[in-house]
Amino acid sequence: MGKSSRKKRLDRIVAAAEAYFAKPVMDLSTPGGEGRSSCRLHFADQTVIATLRPNFRRAHLEAYVLSKISAYCDDTPKCLGVVGEIIFQSDVGGQRLNVVIAKTGGAKRRALAEEAVDKIFRVQSAARQAGLNADMPHLGVNDDWIENFTHAIDALEPLSSGRSAKVDRNALAELVLQPARQFVKWDCRSGNAAIGDDNRLRWFDFEYAGVRHGAEDLAWLIGDEAWPLSGAVMEEIVRDAFDPSAGYDLDPYMDFLSVYVTLHCVQRLKLILKEAKKRGWLSKTRVRKFDDAGVHPEFAAHLCRVGAHFADRRPLTAPIGCDFEDAARMFDRMIAAAA
């Protein structure tokens, strides 16, 4: 997006905000970068997050979701209004989870991860109470989506011994194609949560919300390459926080989560490699600051180890885990060579 286009977009947001709130915008900031869809509007008495979505439907779907969920919990932004394709939300804080957790260690890091997982379950519970499981579009249910998701394991072949080639894709597809029965926020990467002035963690960005199995939200967090916790630790945290009121038993839930995390990590790795080829490797600080794809060898190696942990939980996906371990070692060599 060129400078003139960005200025027009921001001018449009400011004009809509001033008309809607009936007061002047004193300042405007773009913490995620000028090219992002969201910005922070500074009024004399409050700050508001304004987001210009690509179409009317997405903006109003997100507004609907936030309005429904906020009636049952305080773990998401509140919808303050919607004007055309622009949605106004309460400001949940400038401390993004991806940055905060990277600076936090030991027991505090684990506690923060536990809160992030707990809040995913809380948001899903609120969505059930609000009836969103019956209202929202179903995600990832068509054949093309399933095929793309399961066949992506071919991307591991150039990075490994290629054991994934022998994995039964039809069996994978059967496991992934689950009945759509639970609200999902989608895109639960750690850059889409923030800690507010009240020290409360809240999830934001519900643009792609819908209904699927439900464990996908946890998979997005666990398989976020910039999320610094190991697969083993995250598995423990999910087990401890598990909410049976969603209608699932723990063991089948964890089995599905494992398969989904495995395949989600493949998708994230594909994105990293694509972006690295296009832009070169980026600094970890830049990635976190702008909530970018984790285009750094350390992030890629970590992602591969998380994928390997969850792939190793069942025989069907174990070969994928071996390929992930090969890929992790390749990235380790790259890191060592650059040291």
Side-chain angles (χ1 to χ4, degrees), residues 168-183:
D168 186 340
R169 315 303 169 93
N170 291 330
L172 272 182
E174 287 179 12
L175 290 172
V176 171
L177 186 58
Q178 294 281 325
R181 51 190 280 195
Q182 171 61 54
F183 173 87

Side-chain angles (χ1 to χ4, degrees), residues 38-296:
S38 293
C39 60
R40 179 175 280 113
L41 304 177
H42 301 258
F43 294 99
D45 59 345
Q46 69 179 134
T47 56
V48 171
I49 301 299
T51 306
L52 176 59
R53 290 305 184 197
N55 58 57
F56 181 92
R57 179 184 176 277
R58 283 195 196 176
H60 284 256
L61 184 72
E62 184 170 20
Y64 176 74
V65 166
L66 292 178
S67 298
K68 287 285 190 177
I69 289 176
S70 63
Y72 295 92
C73 75
D74 186 27
D75 303 307
T76 64
K78 290 180 170 56
C79 176
L80 304 178
V82 58
V83 177
E85 295 83 20
I86 302 170
I87 176 173
F88 299 111
Q89 305 172 47
S90 60
D91 189 347
V92 295
Q95 298 185 78
R96 287 205 176 194
L97 176 60
N98 60 337
V99 175
V100 175
I101 198 146
K103 297 177 180 177
T104 306
K108 288 185 178 179
R109 173 176 283 186
R110 176 158 181 150
L112 195 55
E114 289 171 346
E115 184 179 4
V117 169
D118 179 63
K119 293 299 177 70
I120 289 174
F121 281 120
R122 283 173 57 91
V123 168
Q124 290 185 347
S125 175
R128 285 196 300 276
Q129 295 176 72
L132 290 177
N133 290 5
D135 291 350
M136 299 296 291
H138 291 187
L139 305 176
V141 292
N142 66 67
D143 291 342
D144 288 344
W145 190 93
I146 297 290
E147 181 176 348
N148 175 69
F149 194 59
T150 53
H151 285 247
I153 55 176
D154 293 335
L156 290 170
E157 187 169 357
L159 313 175
S160 67
S161 299
R163 302 171 187 86
S164 299
K166 297 180 180 178
V167 172
D168 186 340
R169 315 303 169 93
N170 291 330
L172 272 182
E174 287 179 12
L175 290 172
V176 171
L177 186 58
Q178 294 281 325
R181 51 190 280 195
Q182 171 61 54
F183 173 87
V184 284
K185 173 198 173 295
W186 213 249
D187 198 6
C188 280
R189 291 172 302 113
S190 54
N192 284 332
I195 294 92
D197 293 338
D198 57 359
N199 290 319
R200 191 182 185 104
L201 185 153
R202 292 177 177 87
W203 285 99
F204 60 86
D205 193 355
F206 285 74
E207 178 185 8
Y208 297 109
V211 177
R212 210 175 187 282
H213 176 279
E216 295 86 356
D217 280 349
L218 295 161
W220 272 92
L221 178 62
I222 296 167
D224 174 1
E225 59 275 9
W227 186 246
L229 286 90
S230 71
V233 169
M234 290 306 297
E235 183 178 351
E236 289 176 5
I237 290 173
V238 173
R239 283 184 174 276
D240 290 345
F242 178 70
D243 179 6
S245 67
Y248 295 111
D249 292 330
L250 176 59
D251 288 341
Y253 186 94
M254 296 303 298
D255 285 345
F256 174 77
L257 176 65
S258 296
V259 173
Y260 201 92
V261 169
T262 299
L263 297 176
H264 182 74
C265 286
V266 174
Q267 295 288 341
R268 295 302 301 177
L269 184 59
K270 282 181 62 180
L271 177 62
I272 290 171
L273 295 173
K274 176 185 174 184
E275 292 298 311
K277 184 176 180 180
K278 182 167 66 176
R279 298 190 282 167
W281 296 103
L282 306 175
S283 74
K284 291 186 288 185
T285 300
R286 175 194 162 88
V287 166
R288 292 190 178 105
K289 180 179 179 180
F290 295 109
D291 188 26
D292 213 335
V295 188
H296 189 286

